């Protein structure tokens, strides 16, 4: 609102408006709206009331505009302070959030179980271990049950084996309630031999004639599972292999469970299926369980448990006579 546009009053007639054209130009020169001091001394007495009204009105307008400007400035300053504070908070928390994210990712990675090795890799490590030129001791149990789940056969013996078709077996044969005497069976890589505990049975011959020698034991002894190295080495070719889990054995060692399923019916492959435990630290097989087919549709469960290495030179694989 311009100070020259408001209504003016003539001191001669109360309440009668005085238009812009009725205000003398000399009065307008006295209207300094920015002045805060008293009116100039040369102000005519008849102009003082008009000049006072002018200054009063423009003082109000100036005060109003000054308050709004200050309020706006205060609001703007407050907004800028909050923006700065928020920015500082983000800058301060951003490294902490990034660090927390990294720790969370690392924690999840550490908490996640390690991936399982392939079955082929686990079996190959076992083959490499069994190929070492050392003698190893196993406990072997072969048993069979009838349709009523009654055990009709149980053979249990200790097996010491070394690469090169060298092995030595000592144990007992059992057929239901009938328990035969102890026996020994061995091979030094070229000659196979058998001996009963009372000495009444004593046979030996070239390894190539092993089938003739083993006829004396019926189908109780199978060289296919006495040569553990050869047995494990043939698994990838004859069976579908899969690593099905990771376990902790009775000794507290981490072991891999590998399942083996025969690919197809094959008269050459007598094992139907098997599973084995492989020590993750050493790669060695610690246990093997298998089902073997027998003539006339019968089957046998086979359990081979690894017991450890034998001291060098302690075991003799040749015939004892």
């Amino acid at each position: 609102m311009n100070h020259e546009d408001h209504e003016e009053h003539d001191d001669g007639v109360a309440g009668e408006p005085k238009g812009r054209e009725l205000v003398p130009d000399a009065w307008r020169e006295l209207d300094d709206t920015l002045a805060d001091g008293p009116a100039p001394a040369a102000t005519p007495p008849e102009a003082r009331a008009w000049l006072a009204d002018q200054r009063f009105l423009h003082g109000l307008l100036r005060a109003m505009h000054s308050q709004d400007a200050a309020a706006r400035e205060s609001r703007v300053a407050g907004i800028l302070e909050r923006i700065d504070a928020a920015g500082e908070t983000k800058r301060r928390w951003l490294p902490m959030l990034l660090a927390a994210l990294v720790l969370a990712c690392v924690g999840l990675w550490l908490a996640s179980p390690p991936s399982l090795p392939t079955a082929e890799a686990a079996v190959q490590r076992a083959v490499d271990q069994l190929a070492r030129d050392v003698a190893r001791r196993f406990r072997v149990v072969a048993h069979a049950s009838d349709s009523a789940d009654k055990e009709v056969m149980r053979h249990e013996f200790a097996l010491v084996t070394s690469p090169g078709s060298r092995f030595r077996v000592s144990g007992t044969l059992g057929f239901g309630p009938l328990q035969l005497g102890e026996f020994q069976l061995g091979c030094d890589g070229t000659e196979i031999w058998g001996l009963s505990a009372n000495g009444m049975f004593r046979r030996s011959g070239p390894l190539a004639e092993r089938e003739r020698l083993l006829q004396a034991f019926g189908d109780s002894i199978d060289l296919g599972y006495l040569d553990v190295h050869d047995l494990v080495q043939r698994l990838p070719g004859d069976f579908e292999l899969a690593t099905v889990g990771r376990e902790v054995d009775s000794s507290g060692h981490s072991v891999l469970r590998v399942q083996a399923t025969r690919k197809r019916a094959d008269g050459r492959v007598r094992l139907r299926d098997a599973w084995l435990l492989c020590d993750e630290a050493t790669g060695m097989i610690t246990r093997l369980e298998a089902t073997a087919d027998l003539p006339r549709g019968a089957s046998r469960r086979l359990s081979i448990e690894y017991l450890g290495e034998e001291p060098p030179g302690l075991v003799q694989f040749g015939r004892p006579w």
Side-chain angles (χ1 to χ4, degrees):
M1 179 178 183
N2 192 289
H3 68 279
E4 294 181 352
D5 294 334
H6 69 275
E7 293 183 350
E8 300 171 352
H9 295 79
D10 188 355
D11 290 339
V13 182
E16 183 180 345
K18 187 182 290 294
R20 175 184 177 88
E21 68 280 357
L22 299 178
V23 177
D25 292 337
W27 292 13
R28 294 190 182 97
E29 294 177 357
L30 300 173
D31 183 17
D32 185 358
T33 58
L34 298 178
D36 293 328
T43 303
E46 61 273 17
R48 289 177 179 175
W50 175 84
L51 185 59
D53 288 342
Q54 292 292 97
R55 288 197 172 188
F56 175 74
L57 178 60
H58 288 287
L60 289 177
L61 292 174
R62 187 171 63 184
M64 291 174 61
H65 285 292
S66 298
Q67 290 174 0
D68 287 344
R72 286 195 298 272
E73 184 177 353
S74 177
R75 287 194 296 271
V76 171
I79 292 172
L80 291 176
E81 288 178 0
R82 287 193 292 272
I83 291 175
D84 290 342
E88 181 63 27
T89 300
K90 290 181 179 178
R91 288 190 294 270
R92 186 171 63 251
W93 280 98
L94 183 58
M96 299 178 65
L97 291 174
L98 290 176
L101 180 61
V102 171
L103 289 176
C105 293
V106 172
L108 288 174
W109 178 76
L110 292 175
S112 300
S115 59
L116 295 174
T118 64
E120 289 75 11
V123 170
Q124 185 56 52
R125 287 188 69 196
V127 170
D128 294 341
Q129 280 290 323
L130 291 168
R132 292 173 51 216
D133 190 17
V134 296
R136 302 180 184 274
R137 180 174 294 274
F138 298 86
R139 176 176 176 264
V140 180
V141 177
H143 57 91
S145 302
D146 59 17
S147 57
D149 201 27
K150 179 181 179 181
E151 189 172 72
V152 295
M153 181 195 75
R154 182 179 181 86
H155 308 324
E156 185 171 348
F157 45 86
L159 167 66
V160 180
T161 182
S162 185
S165 299
R166 294 179 296 171
F167 62 85
R168 187 183 185 103
V169 173
S170 60
T172 60
L173 303 178
F175 299 90
L178 178 62
Q179 293 293 318
L180 302 183
E182 292 188 359
F183 74 98
Q184 295 183 56
L185 179 69
C187 181
D188 61 3
T190 58
E191 183 184 48
I192 186 172
W193 56 268
L195 178 66
S196 63
N198 57 13
M200 295 181 61
F201 176 83
R202 179 187 297 183
R203 302 279 179 84
S204 64
L207 180 59
E209 299 179 7
R210 57 183 178 273
E211 298 298 333
R212 179 183 60 82
L213 176 65
L214 292 178
Q215 286 179 357
F217 296 92
D219 59 2
S220 302
I221 301 296
D222 186 347
L223 293 184
Y225 58 78
L226 295 183
D227 189 342
V228 181
H229 176 258
D230 182 67
L231 171 64
V232 176
Q233 191 173 33
R234 287 189 288 108
L235 285 178
D238 298 333
F239 294 82
E240 297 286 351
L241 303 178
T243 304
V244 296
R246 176 180 282 110
E247 305 174 11
V248 177
D249 64 12
S250 58
S251 301
H253 298 161
S254 177
V255 294
L256 298 173
R257 180 180 287 264
V258 176
Q259 186 72 40
T261 305
R262 190 167 58 186
K263 295 179 179 179
R264 56 189 176 276
D266 189 341
R268 182 179 59 87
V269 182
R270 300 191 61 181
L271 292 183
R272 182 191 309 163
D273 54 52
W275 60 262
L276 52 152
L277 300 179
C278 302
D279 190 302
E280 280 201 273
T282 65
M284 182 61 190
I285 286 181
T286 60
R287 190 175 187 86
L288 187 150
E289 299 277 346
T291 303
D293 291 329
L294 297 177
R296 296 177 296 277
S299 63
R300 172 190 301 157
R301 293 295 302 172
L302 179 69
S303 174
I304 301 177
E305 181 183 4
Y306 178 55
L307 302 179
E309 296 183 9
E310 290 290 311
L314 182 63
V315 180
Q316 299 296 325
F317 296 104
R319 56 187 175 91
W321 69 88

